[in-house]
Structure formats: structure tokens, C-alpha cells
Amino acid sequence: MVQLHEMIFRDAHQSMLATRMRTEDMLPIADKVDQIGFFSLEVWGGATFDVPIRYLNECPWERIRKLKKAMPNTPMQMLERAMNIVAYWNFPDDIVKKFIYLAKKNGVDYFRIFDALNDLRNMEVPIESVKENGGHVQACLSYTISPVHTVDYFVEKFKKLSKMGADTLCIKDMAGMISPQRAYDIIKGVKDAGIKQPIDLHSHYTSGMTGMAYQRAVEAGVDILDTAMSPISGGTAAPATESVVAALKGTEWDTGYDLELLIEIRKYFLKVWDKYRHLHRFNALKVDPSVTLHQVPGGMLSNLIFQLEEQGAHDKYQEILVETARVREELGYPPLVTPTSQVVGVQAVMNVLHGRYKVITKETKDYCKGMYGKPPAPIKVEIMKKVLGPKWKDEVIDCRPADLLEPMWEKRKSELKEHTDVKLTDENIMTYAIYPQVGLKFLKGQAQAEFTSEDLPLPLDHKLTRGMVKQSFPEVKDLWLETLPPEKRSGPAQIPTEFEVEVDGEPFEVKVIPSGGFMVSGATSGAPQKPKDIDGGVKSNMQGTILSLKVKKGDKVKVGDVIATIEAMKMEQEIKSESNGEVKDIFIKEGDSVSCGDLLMQVL
Ligand code: CO
């Protein structure tokens, strides 16, 4: 018998609906889902912590409590990013331990733990904490293809994880690129090595090979397969649950699940799928076998295309693809999963736009120092020299990255105490500790729930609807770009520059500003008019938000001095002076959005 791990409540909508499914969409069908007898249900973790507080005005802790209560018969599982928990950076041990304690207390039974680099040191603390709290550890290895990621590599690491206390094991093929033979060989290898824990295969339909890979995995003895109910399956999401159940029916691997009940559940989720139709991306539904050639995951590709468009360089797509593969090799073949996909992808974009390793992001530096963990293969020495300088050896750490972090819980607790309008519960402190800015806004009741397709006042293809969607969901900008013919994809010409929209019955005057962003009258104070071209003008070579100013008027600067930092493509980058002189004028302030070519300062 094979069992299924159902992902409609987490991975599926994270893959296809920008993680926007709400608790209110889950509860009405919970009772029926609970009757199926799934091995486990993925309901929490990953982006389902960040998105609810940021976009849905929903408390993630309340969600897990409600789901646990509504589905008492099925284990509730969360995706836990090792020392990154449910964010994108390392946390100290005290936060990781406390988080796992709280997650278990609020209703999580199974913890799927993975580290982007498969650095097992990063997995120790979360694994031990889950065991201490009586939870089930599902230890994962991130799957990727490279000369170092051999069958032996995976089998040896699984052996170690099995000794570290894993209850079940999992191959996490987040990019959906595992081939049938590869799936067979790794699972067979694990079984032949005498590893006793059941093994799970997690994949996505991206390459189009996944149905075949699942069949071969079954033949090799896989115990659990990851699927998602059909309305949010296929393409960049997982293979469909009902299809896998039907395919295995009557064989020795029969799941024994009630197919009729599953089809009934399907009908419900079709309505949920429709409720978020403004987020549908047609390309995400297609298979993309090109991933098998260049090993760059589909999700990362669409992200890169979007980032290139932001930087006004969408013609460089092919170059970036080749560069991404090259950077990944130079950096020791990290699996391309959050956060390493971002490190590699952004560095590749920088290399193509500005020359190889001419602009180096803070994240690339941290990666090379070992702050994410140990890369699967050594980073090329010439790259280390370029990134960290001639004394690169002194900069590299050889301890576990979190060993360098100070405990944080008490500090965050006393910080939150200052905000007397926030109830000081452990869960609230944790929300604040993980996402200090967004979390605090949410805890203070200042977050607002986004609209759904049903709230849209105008037809979906209406210009104003496009404008509203673009405003609320910057990341779906590419959806609208895709629906336009190529010659119309840039320039604000076909979009009205000023109009009135109604939100919750209240009219808002909306004005399109030249960068393509929106300005709501009265809500945002107008930025001072920036001059276009002047002597000694320092311009931004990327689109982003100014994080900090490192100089003030009258300061003397030299070539190469850092004058400001900018957040572009979710990464912090330094802006350096290209001339010697004095800062005569500054045209930006911290928090400003700037476009490529915008004037920042005058240095004469
Ligand atoms: Co996944």
C-alpha cells in the first residue's frame, strides 16, 4: 500500500495562487478531507506564515488551531525551513526551539524539515526540538542535479538523517525535475541500504515527467507520495491526488482511498480555484521540460523574467539562463530553492547587467562566507577571491551559522512589551520575532485583507482591474504583461494616468506615476521632483527601494565609497560613488522607490 500526503492547503496554492487561500476557504471542506485517511495533510509553514499576516490579515496560529480542530483524525504537517523556520534568514537556537514548541502546542503533528544546502548541521536543532516536544520528524533532502548529487550522496545523507532521529524521510524535489530512473535509483538505494524509516517523494509536475517518476518510485518501494487535489494540481504544482489514487487502484499499491468522496471534494475546490482567478497564470499550468536541460526551476525562471523586466532588460533572458547555470556551478552546485535560488539568480542577473562579479550582493558575500551553511561542492577559488578579496580564507566560517547568533527571544519580548496595544502572548512575540515589521503591523491591527476575484468591481480584463491588481499584487505584474501583445508590454501609454476606483465602497483617486507604480492621492506624499541630468549626477543602475543613505550633504567621497544601499530584487545591494568629490545634493531619502536611471545625488 502507498499512502498520500495531501498538499492542497499549503504547497498547491503556494505554487499556483501566490499562497492566498484563506482559512475560510479550508474549513467548509475540512470534515470531508479528514475522512479520506491521508498519511498527513500539509497545512502550515513555508509561505503560509508570511502571506497571511502580510496580505490576508489572518493570524497563522489561529489557522493551525482551527484546522487541527476541524480535522482531528489526520496528522497536520508543516514545512519547516530548518534554521530559517518560516522566513528566509537564520534564527538563533532559542527562537527555533520556541517556535517548534509553539507550533506543536497549537496543532502541528508532523514537521517536514529541510535545509536548502542539505547541511545537516542546520537540521540538528529543529530535529531535536521536534523530538523533545513529541512531534514527528520528516527529514528532507533538497533534490537537485549536479556532478556531486549522486545516488550515493542522497543515500549517505539519508543514513545520517535516519540516525539523527527522523521518523520518516523525504526527497524534496521542489523544482519538479526528478526523472523516473533517478527516483527509482535513490529510493531503491535507500531501501537497499537497510534504512528502516518510510520514505516520501515530494515533487511538482513542472517537467511533465512526474507521473512516470511516481510510478517508478512506487516500484522501488516508496511509502508516501505527495499530491494535491486536482483543482490546484499539475504544472508547477504537484500531480493530482485523484489521478494517483485512480492509477494505483487495484494494484498492490492501492491507497484504499474513497475516489467518490475525493471527486466530491474536487467540486468544492474548483470554486476556491475560481475565487482567485485573477491570480491564475496560464504558463504555470503548462509543463516546462526545459528545466531538464538547464536545471533552473520553473518558479525561479518566472521570477527572473519578472526581475529582468523590472530592470528593463527582458531581452537578456537567454544570457541569464546560461549565466545562472554558470554561477551555480561556481558556487558549488547549491540546490536552487529558497533562499539559495535567490542568491544565485540575482547574482546571475547582476553579472549579465554589469559584468561578471562587478556588483556583488550582500547575500552572495554571506553565502561565500558560509553563512547559509556548507555548499555541496567547494566554491571556486577565483570566485572566492572576487567576492571576499585576497584574504578570503579569513572571512570563511567553519562553524554552524547559527552558532554566531545571540539569543533573541527575551530581547524581542521586551521590545513588544513597549507596544501596549498588542497582547503579549508567546504566539504574538514569535510572530514579531520572525517578521518584526510586517508582524508588528499585523499585531497592531493595521493589516488589511486583500480582495478576491469576487470583490472586483469590474470585469477581469478591464484596464482598471489590471491597475488594481498590479497595485495590490506586484508579483502578478507579469501575468498582465503576458496577456498583452509584445509591442504593448512596456510604457504606460495604454494605461490611463488618473482615475477613480472604489475600494470597500469608498472612492479613491488613483494616479499612475511614471515608474509604473501607483500613487493614491492623500495617502502618499509626493516625492520631490527629481532632475534628470546634471553634472556629477549619480544615477541608480537598478530599480528598487533605498534602504539607507551612507552620506550627507557636504561629505567628501572617493571612488568606490558606499553612498547608499538599495533593496533590489529582494536583496540588499551597495551603491558606490563613481567619482571623487563632495556630495552637493541628495535627491532621495530612505524608503524611496527608484527606477533604473533615476538621479540619486550630485557629487562634484
Ligand atoms: Co513543493
Side-chain angles (χ1 to χ4, degrees):
M1 192 183 79
V2 166
Q3 287 184 286
L4 301 185
H5 168 66
E6 171 60 47
M7 306 194 293
I8 189 125
F9 294 130
R10 205 286 301 175
D11 190 303
H13 67 106
Q14 186 172 329
S15 299
M16 285 198 167
L17 296 176
T19 331
R20 296 307 203 271
M21 201 193 283
R22 294 155 201 232
T23 310
E24 66 186 43
D25 303 322
M26 303 173 184
L27 292 175
I29 198 68
D31 177 47
K32 284 189 175 142
V33 174
D34 195 34
Q35 288 171 38
I36 297 292
F38 287 116
F39 173 75
S40 50
L41 276 171
E42 188 158 287
V43 295
W44 218 57
T48 65
F49 198 94
D50 180 2
V51 172
I53 57 171
R54 200 182 287 266
Y55 298 111
L56 307 177
N57 191 22
E58 252 197 45
C59 174
W61 302 102
E62 205 174 300
R63 175 180 292 184
I64 182 63
R65 285 196 294 271
K66 284 182 177 165
L67 291 175
K68 177 68 190 166
K69 196 164 168 229
M71 296 180 280
N73 302 307
T74 316
M76 299 285 113
Q77 188 253 61
M78 77 162 288
L79 180 68
E80 204 273 341
R81 297 169 173 151
M83 299 310 287
N84 296 347
I85 316 181
V86 286
Y88 313 93
W89 45 86
N90 283 325
F91 287 93
D93 292 354
D94 66 331
I95 297 285
V96 175
K97 288 178 186 168
K98 190 90 178 178
F99 182 93
I100 284 168
Y101 161 77
L102 290 172
K104 180 74 177 64
K105 181 179 156 215
N106 280 275
V108 175
D109 305 296
Y110 290 10
F111 293 76
R112 171 174 287 179
I113 301 167
F114 83 98
D115 176 64
L117 292 172
N118 295 328
D119 185 336
L120 304 189
R121 296 172 308 170
N122 288 336
M123 296 169 75
E124 277 164 15
V125 168
I127 288 179
E128 277 163 22
S129 310
V130 173
K131 304 289 338 166
E132 270 165 30
N133 288 290
H136 171 120
V137 172
Q138 185 173 78
C140 286
L141 289 178
S142 307
Y143 178 76
T144 190
I145 303 169
S146 88
V148 286
H149 292 88
T150 59
V151 171
D152 280 350
Y153 168 96
F154 288 106
V155 173
E156 286 309 309
K157 293 239 173 195
F158 275 132
K159 268 189 203 163
K160 286 186 185 142
L161 287 170
S162 124
K163 291 198 184 100
M164 282 165 68
D167 296 289
T168 52
L169 302 168
C170 175
I171 304 169
K172 183 176 161 60
D173 175 27
M174 58 280 163
M177 55 189 184
I178 200 163
S179 71
Q181 191 60 45
R182 210 55 184 162
Y184 184 89
D185 290 343
I186 296 175
I187 289 156
K188 187 86 181 17
V190 166
K191 295 290 174 189
D192 287 350
I195 296 171
K196 292 279 178 287
Q197 286 93 337
I199 186 155
D200 184 336
L201 176 58
H202 169 89
S203 189
H204 291 245
Y205 216 80
T206 325
S207 69
M209 301 190 289
T210 315
M212 292 170 78
Y214 274 20
Q215 176 61 31
R216 291 292 280 153
V218 162
E219 289 164 14
V222 83
D223 302 277
I224 308 140
L225 290 171
D226 280 17
T227 59
M229 288 298 299
S230 61
I232 317 185
S233 74
T236 54
T241 305
E242 306 92 296
S243 311
V244 173
V245 169
L248 298 177
K249 210 172 172 59
T251 69
E252 59 184 289
W253 307 292
D254 198 330
T255 60
Y257 299 163
D258 182 347
L259 203 48
E260 270 177 51
L261 183 56
L262 283 171
I263 298 295
E264 228 180 290
I265 297 170
R266 173 180 195 269
K267 285 183 196 143
Y268 174 81
F269 281 115
L270 282 172
K271 285 186 282 178
V272 176
W273 172 246
D274 208 39
K275 180 175 168 185
Y276 298 99
R277 58 195 180 275
H278 61 283
L279 292 168
H280 295 180
R281 296 168 68 246
F282 302 107
N283 280 351
L285 296 168
K286 291 180 186 165
V287 299
D288 177 10
S290 61
V291 68
T292 58
L293 263 188
H294 49 64
Q295 277 98 53
V296 180
M300 185 179 161
L301 277 182
S302 45
N303 213 10
L304 277 178
I305 297 170
F306 178 56
Q307 289 169 348
L308 282 175
E309 270 164 3
E310 270 195 335
Q311 306 295 329
H314 50 277
D315 54 321
K316 299 241 168 46
Y317 177 66
Q318 199 54 39
E319 251 177 278
I320 301 273
L321 201 54
V322 174
E323 183 63 20
T324 302
R326 194 171 165 195
V327 171
R328 176 172 173 259
E329 185 187 338
E330 288 165 341
L331 295 183
Y333 297 108
L336 297 178
V337 58
T338 311
T340 46
S341 53
Q342 198 67 12
V343 175
V344 172
V346 175
Q347 191 57 53
V349 171
M350 290 295 138
N351 287 0
V352 168
L353 296 183
H354 308 291
R356 304 204 82 232
Y357 298 97
K358 287 280 186 309
V359 175
I360 294 162
T361 65
K362 181 182 172 289
E363 283 76 5
T364 302
K365 277 185 195 158
D366 284 348
Y367 175 90
C368 289
K369 284 179 191 166
M371 302 304 278
Y372 291 82
K374 199 168 179 283
I379 300 169
K380 294 230 163 96
V381 171
E382 77 238 43
I383 302 302
M384 285 299 240
K385 283 184 186 156
K386 274 184 193 159
V387 174
L388 299 178
K391 290 192 176 158
W392 61 273
K393 278 186 185 156
D394 301 343
E395 305 244 354
V396 178
I397 63 161
D398 59 5
C399 61
R400 187 182 64 117
D403 286 339
L404 303 173
L405 302 173
E406 295 287 330
M408 194 195 259
W409 177 259
E410 291 302 328
K411 187 167 168 270
R412 290 287 186 248
K413 186 177 172 180
S414 59
E415 278 168 21
L416 193 62
K417 228 182 207 161
E418 306 278 300
H419 300 272
T420 45
D421 51 339
V422 177
K423 215 172 152 199
L424 204 67
T425 63
D426 279 1
E427 286 79 1
N428 284 351
I429 298 168
M430 186 55 77
T431 301
Y432 171 69
I434 294 183
Y435 286 104
Q437 279 123 22
V438 181
L440 189 61
K441 202 174 154 197
F442 167 78
L443 294 170
K444 283 176 164 290
Q446 293 161 356
Q448 273 190 343
E450 259 179 5
F451 58 88
T452 69
S453 296
E454 264 125 55
D455 305 322
L456 292 175
L458 295 164
L460 265 172
D461 55 355
H462 194 280
K463 277 177 189 168
L464 298 189
T465 310
R466 290 182 188 202
M468 283 178 68
V469 169
K470 211 168 125 180
Q471 178 189 18
S472 299
F473 309 96
E475 67 273 40
V476 295
K477 189 174 146 198
D478 51 340
L479 162 69
W480 302 111
L481 288 170
E482 275 166 26
T483 63
L484 295 173
E487 66 277 10
K488 286 194 175 169
R489 282 184 195 177
S490 58
Q494 70 279 12
I495 303 171
T497 53
E498 278 182 54
F499 46 83
E500 215 178 79
V501 291
E502 212 182 81
V503 182
D504 291 339
E506 241 187 275
F508 277 88
E509 282 196 19
V510 177
K511 190 163 100 192
V512 182
I513 55 172
S515 70
F518 275 70
M519 202 184 266
V520 178
S521 309
T524 320
S525 64
Q529 213 52 44
K530 295 166 194 157
K532 285 268 171 246
D533 248 323
I534 49 170
D535 278 352
V538 181
K539 288 178 178 176
S540 172
N541 55 7
M542 50 197 109
Q543 193 266 3
T545 309
I546 300 293
L547 283 180
S548 62
L549 283 170
K550 301 285 184 197
V551 291
K552 53 187 189 311
K553 247 191 230 184
D555 279 0
K556 296 259 189 285
V557 291
K558 292 195 300 292
V559 176
D561 283 356
V562 178
I563 52 175
T565 61
I566 180 170
E567 189 194 80
M569 299 182 271
K570 295 185 193 156
M571 304 244 150
E572 188 179 332
Q573 333 244 11
E574 291 173 339
I575 301 175
K576 292 175 182 164
S577 175
E578 284 166 15
S579 56
N580 298 324
E582 189 189 311
V583 178
K584 295 283 182 204
D585 211 348
I586 298 178
F587 308 112
I588 43 158
K589 57 181 185 326
E590 287 172 7
D592 274 1
S593 298
V594 295
S595 299
C596 198
D598 274 2
L599 207 49
L600 307 175
M601 295 181 195
Q602 186 181 35
V603 176
L604 276 176

mmCIF file of all heavy atoms in Angstrom, residues 74 114 128 132 141 168 205 217 225 238 242 254 333 382 416 425 444-445 462 464 510 522 525 571-572:
data_model
loop_
_atom_site.group_PDB
_atom_site.id
_atom_site.type_symbol
_atom_site.label_atom_id
_atom_site.label_comp_id
_atom_site.label_asym_id
_atom_site.label_seq_id
_atom_site.Cartn_x
_atom_site.Cartn_y
_atom_site.Cartn_z
ATOM 1 N N THR A 74 -6.515 13.379 11.050
ATOM 2 C CA THR A 74 -5.397 13.339 10.113
ATOM 3 C C THR A 74 -4.235 14.158 10.680
ATOM 4 O O THR A 74 -4.451 15.270 11.151
ATOM 5 C CB THR A 74 -5.810 13.945 8.743
ATOM 6 O OG1 THR A 74 -7.093 13.441 8.397
ATOM 7 C CG2 THR A 74 -4.815 13.593 7.657
ATOM 8 N N PHE A 114 13.739 20.844 6.182
ATOM 9 C CA PHE A 114 14.742 20.787 5.112
ATOM 10 C C PHE A 114 15.694 21.962 5.218
ATOM 11 O O PHE A 114 15.365 23.002 5.780
ATOM 12 C CB PHE A 114 14.083 20.765 3.726
ATOM 13 C CG PHE A 114 13.694 22.132 3.203
ATOM 14 C CD1 PHE A 114 14.516 22.811 2.311
ATOM 15 C CD2 PHE A 114 12.522 22.731 3.623
ATOM 16 C CE1 PHE A 114 14.160 24.077 1.832
ATOM 17 C CE2 PHE A 114 12.160 23.990 3.151
ATOM 18 C CZ PHE A 114 12.976 24.664 2.255
ATOM 19 N N GLU A 128 15.964 17.906 16.935
ATOM 20 C CA GLU A 128 15.940 17.617 18.376
ATOM 21 C C GLU A 128 14.716 18.246 19.056
ATOM 22 O O GLU A 128 14.087 17.619 19.910
ATOM 23 C CB GLU A 128 17.210 18.156 19.040
ATOM 24 C CG GLU A 128 18.383 17.202 18.904
ATOM 25 C CD GLU A 128 19.716 17.902 19.179
ATOM 26 O OE1 GLU A 128 19.713 18.949 19.863
ATOM 27 O OE2 GLU A 128 20.742 17.384 18.698
ATOM 28 N N GLU A 132 11.830 16.432 21.234
ATOM 29 C CA GLU A 132 11.564 16.816 22.632
ATOM 30 C C GLU A 132 10.092 17.121 22.883
ATOM 31 O O GLU A 132 9.564 16.874 23.948
ATOM 32 C CB GLU A 132 12.356 18.089 22.986
ATOM 33 C CG GLU A 132 13.727 17.806 23.538
ATOM 34 C CD GLU A 132 14.601 19.062 23.529
ATOM 35 O OE1 GLU A 132 14.054 20.174 23.655
ATOM 36 O OE2 GLU A 132 15.835 18.904 23.370
ATOM 37 N N LEU A 141 15.740 15.872 2.096
ATOM 38 C CA LEU A 141 16.909 16.346 1.363
ATOM 39 C C LEU A 141 16.407 17.079 0.134
ATOM 40 O O LEU A 141 15.517 16.589 -0.571
ATOM 41 C CB LEU A 141 17.795 15.169 0.946
ATOM 42 C CG LEU A 141 18.547 14.483 2.077
ATOM 43 C CD1 LEU A 141 19.356 13.310 1.546
ATOM 44 C CD2 LEU A 141 19.479 15.474 2.809
ATOM 45 N N THR A 168 10.287 9.775 9.441
ATOM 46 C CA THR A 168 10.159 9.448 8.021
ATOM 47 C C THR A 168 11.166 10.314 7.269
ATOM 48 O O THR A 168 11.686 11.297 7.803
ATOM 49 C CB THR A 168 8.738 9.739 7.475
ATOM 50 O OG1 THR A 168 8.372 11.072 7.809
ATOM 51 C CG2 THR A 168 7.700 8.776 8.034
ATOM 52 N N TYR A 205 4.755 18.995 -10.957
ATOM 53 C CA TYR A 205 4.556 18.457 -12.298
ATOM 54 C C TYR A 205 5.361 19.195 -13.373
ATOM 55 O O TYR A 205 5.263 18.890 -14.566
ATOM 56 C CB TYR A 205 3.051 18.453 -12.655
ATOM 57 C CG TYR A 205 2.721 17.241 -13.476
ATOM 58 C CD1 TYR A 205 2.533 16.004 -12.864
ATOM 59 C CD2 TYR A 205 2.663 17.311 -14.864
ATOM 60 C CE1 TYR A 205 2.289 14.873 -13.602
ATOM 61 C CE2 TYR A 205 2.426 16.181 -15.612
ATOM 62 C CZ TYR A 205 2.236 14.972 -14.989
ATOM 63 O OH TYR A 205 2.004 13.842 -15.719
ATOM 64 N N ALA A 217 8.902 5.286 -8.634
ATOM 65 C CA ALA A 217 9.151 5.387 -7.192
ATOM 66 C C ALA A 217 8.365 4.296 -6.469
ATOM 67 O O ALA A 217 8.878 3.637 -5.552
ATOM 68 C CB ALA A 217 8.738 6.759 -6.673
ATOM 69 N N LEU A 225 3.599 9.325 -1.298
ATOM 70 C CA LEU A 225 3.755 10.240 -2.431
ATOM 71 C C LEU A 225 3.043 11.544 -2.095
ATOM 72 O O LEU A 225 2.004 11.534 -1.436
ATOM 73 C CB LEU A 225 3.141 9.644 -3.700
ATOM 74 C CG LEU A 225 3.861 8.446 -4.321
ATOM 75 C CD1 LEU A 225 2.994 7.843 -5.441
ATOM 76 C CD2 LEU A 225 5.236 8.837 -4.860
ATOM 77 N N ALA A 238 1.793 19.975 -7.662
ATOM 78 C CA ALA A 238 2.057 18.536 -7.614
ATOM 79 C C ALA A 238 1.114 17.767 -8.539
ATOM 80 O O ALA A 238 0.115 18.302 -9.004
ATOM 81 C CB ALA A 238 1.879 18.062 -6.176
ATOM 82 N N GLU A 242 -6.438 12.625 -7.057
ATOM 83 C CA GLU A 242 -7.414 11.669 -7.579
ATOM 84 C C GLU A 242 -6.780 10.791 -8.657
ATOM 85 O O GLU A 242 -7.056 9.601 -8.739
ATOM 86 C CB GLU A 242 -8.628 12.381 -8.187
ATOM 87 C CG GLU A 242 -9.332 13.368 -7.286
ATOM 88 C CD GLU A 242 -8.788 14.784 -7.466
ATOM 89 O OE1 GLU A 242 -7.602 15.009 -7.169
ATOM 90 O OE2 GLU A 242 -9.554 15.667 -7.887
ATOM 91 N N ASP A 254 -2.422 -0.018 -4.009
ATOM 92 C CA ASP A 254 -3.714 0.679 -3.837
ATOM 93 C C ASP A 254 -3.731 1.501 -2.538
ATOM 94 O O ASP A 254 -3.427 0.978 -1.464
ATOM 95 C CB ASP A 254 -4.828 -0.380 -3.812
ATOM 96 C CG ASP A 254 -6.203 0.219 -4.090
ATOM 97 O OD1 ASP A 254 -6.412 1.404 -3.745
ATOM 98 O OD2 ASP A 254 -7.050 -0.489 -4.655
ATOM 99 N N TYR A 333 27.336 24.226 -6.730
ATOM 100 C CA TYR A 333 26.099 23.491 -7.026
ATOM 101 C C TYR A 333 25.059 23.497 -5.910
ATOM 102 O O TYR A 333 24.569 22.440 -5.505
ATOM 103 C CB TYR A 333 26.410 22.036 -7.392
ATOM 104 C CG TYR A 333 27.226 21.876 -8.635
ATOM 105 C CD1 TYR A 333 28.562 21.472 -8.564
ATOM 106 C CD2 TYR A 333 26.664 22.103 -9.890
ATOM 107 C CE1 TYR A 333 29.331 21.310 -9.716
ATOM 108 C CE2 TYR A 333 27.418 21.946 -11.047
ATOM 109 C CZ TYR A 333 28.750 21.542 -10.951
ATOM 110 O OH TYR A 333 29.483 21.384 -12.082
ATOM 111 N N GLU A 382 38.829 31.253 -7.496
ATOM 112 C CA GLU A 382 38.863 32.575 -8.157
ATOM 113 C C GLU A 382 37.608 33.390 -7.836
ATOM 114 O O GLU A 382 37.645 34.611 -7.755
ATOM 115 C CB GLU A 382 39.063 32.425 -9.670
ATOM 116 C CG GLU A 382 37.834 32.005 -10.442
ATOM 117 C CD GLU A 382 38.030 30.712 -11.236
ATOM 118 O OE1 GLU A 382 38.626 29.757 -10.672
ATOM 119 O OE2 GLU A 382 37.590 30.666 -12.386
ATOM 120 N N LEU A 416 8.447 44.090 22.323
ATOM 121 C CA LEU A 416 6.996 44.056 22.039
ATOM 122 C C LEU A 416 6.194 44.599 23.225
ATOM 123 O O LEU A 416 5.114 45.163 23.044
ATOM 124 C CB LEU A 416 6.557 42.625 21.679
ATOM 125 C CG LEU A 416 5.154 42.501 21.075
ATOM 126 C CD1 LEU A 416 5.047 43.261 19.741
ATOM 127 C CD2 LEU A 416 4.759 41.042 20.842
ATOM 128 N N THR A 425 1.248 37.593 24.129
ATOM 129 C CA THR A 425 1.224 36.128 24.191
ATOM 130 C C THR A 425 2.498 35.602 23.535
ATOM 131 O O THR A 425 3.144 36.315 22.756
ATOM 132 C CB THR A 425 0.030 35.548 23.407
ATOM 133 O OG1 THR A 425 0.185 35.905 22.019
ATOM 134 C CG2 THR A 425 -1.289 36.094 23.901
ATOM 135 N N LYS A 444 -0.797 45.008 15.468
ATOM 136 C CA LYS A 444 -1.437 46.265 15.865
ATOM 137 C C LYS A 444 -2.775 46.471 15.162
ATOM 138 O O LYS A 444 -3.412 47.509 15.325
ATOM 139 C CB LYS A 444 -0.508 47.444 15.541
ATOM 140 C CG LYS A 444 0.623 47.599 16.534
ATOM 141 C CD LYS A 444 1.541 48.723 16.094
ATOM 142 C CE LYS A 444 2.446 49.174 17.221
ATOM 143 N NZ LYS A 444 1.759 49.892 18.305
ATOM 144 N N GLY A 445 -3.164 45.478 14.360
ATOM 145 C CA GLY A 445 -4.453 45.569 13.676
ATOM 146 C C GLY A 445 -4.436 46.504 12.484
ATOM 147 O O GLY A 445 -5.465 46.989 12.033
ATOM 148 N N HIS A 462 -10.682 44.261 -17.586
ATOM 149 C CA HIS A 462 -10.812 45.705 -17.658
ATOM 150 C C HIS A 462 -9.499 46.382 -17.256
ATOM 151 O O HIS A 462 -8.820 45.939 -16.340
ATOM 152 C CB HIS A 462 -11.945 46.167 -16.736
ATOM 153 C CG HIS A 462 -12.377 47.569 -16.991
ATOM 154 N ND1 HIS A 462 -11.678 48.646 -16.513
ATOM 155 C CD2 HIS A 462 -13.423 48.064 -17.695
ATOM 156 C CE1 HIS A 462 -12.281 49.759 -16.910
ATOM 157 N NE2 HIS A 462 -13.347 49.430 -17.621
ATOM 158 N N LEU A 464 -8.862 49.013 -15.595
ATOM 159 C CA LEU A 464 -8.756 49.442 -14.195
ATOM 160 C C LEU A 464 -8.537 48.255 -13.276
ATOM 161 O O LEU A 464 -7.846 48.356 -12.271
ATOM 162 C CB LEU A 464 -10.015 50.204 -13.773
ATOM 163 C CG LEU A 464 -10.297 51.485 -14.535
ATOM 164 C CD1 LEU A 464 -11.441 52.236 -13.874
ATOM 165 C CD2 LEU A 464 -9.057 52.379 -14.564
ATOM 166 N N VAL A 510 -6.755 57.593 -7.885
ATOM 167 C CA VAL A 510 -5.508 56.884 -8.124
ATOM 168 C C VAL A 510 -4.783 57.519 -9.298
ATOM 169 O O VAL A 510 -5.400 57.863 -10.297
ATOM 170 C CB VAL A 510 -5.795 55.394 -8.428
ATOM 171 C CG1 VAL A 510 -4.506 54.672 -8.752
ATOM 172 C CG2 VAL A 510 -6.478 54.742 -7.245
ATOM 173 N N GLY A 522 -3.330 61.711 -1.404
ATOM 174 C CA GLY A 522 -3.524 61.908 0.028
ATOM 175 C C GLY A 522 -2.821 60.846 0.856
ATOM 176 O O GLY A 522 -2.387 61.109 1.949
ATOM 177 N N SER A 525 2.740 60.987 0.294
ATOM 178 C CA SER A 525 3.160 62.348 -0.003
ATOM 179 C C SER A 525 4.035 62.309 -1.249
ATOM 180 O O SER A 525 4.846 61.414 -1.426
ATOM 181 C CB SER A 525 3.931 62.922 1.169
ATOM 182 O OG SER A 525 5.111 62.185 1.367
ATOM 183 N N MET A 571 17.077 41.815 -2.451
ATOM 184 C CA MET A 571 18.413 41.715 -1.895
ATOM 185 C C MET A 571 18.969 43.105 -1.626
ATOM 186 O O MET A 571 18.643 44.045 -2.337
ATOM 187 C CB MET A 571 19.358 41.060 -2.897
ATOM 188 C CG MET A 571 18.901 39.717 -3.358
ATOM 189 S SD MET A 571 20.082 38.530 -2.807
ATOM 190 C CE MET A 571 19.009 37.156 -2.620
ATOM 191 N N GLU A 572 19.859 43.145 -0.638
ATOM 192 C CA GLU A 572 20.487 44.422 -0.333
ATOM 193 C C GLU A 572 21.732 44.593 -1.209
ATOM 194 O O GLU A 572 22.564 43.704 -1.294
ATOM 195 C CB GLU A 572 20.883 44.421 1.148
ATOM 196 C CG GLU A 572 21.361 45.751 1.618
ATOM 197 C CD GLU A 572 21.731 45.722 3.095
ATOM 198 O OE1 GLU A 572 21.167 44.914 3.857
ATOM 199 O OE2 GLU A 572 22.612 46.507 3.464
#
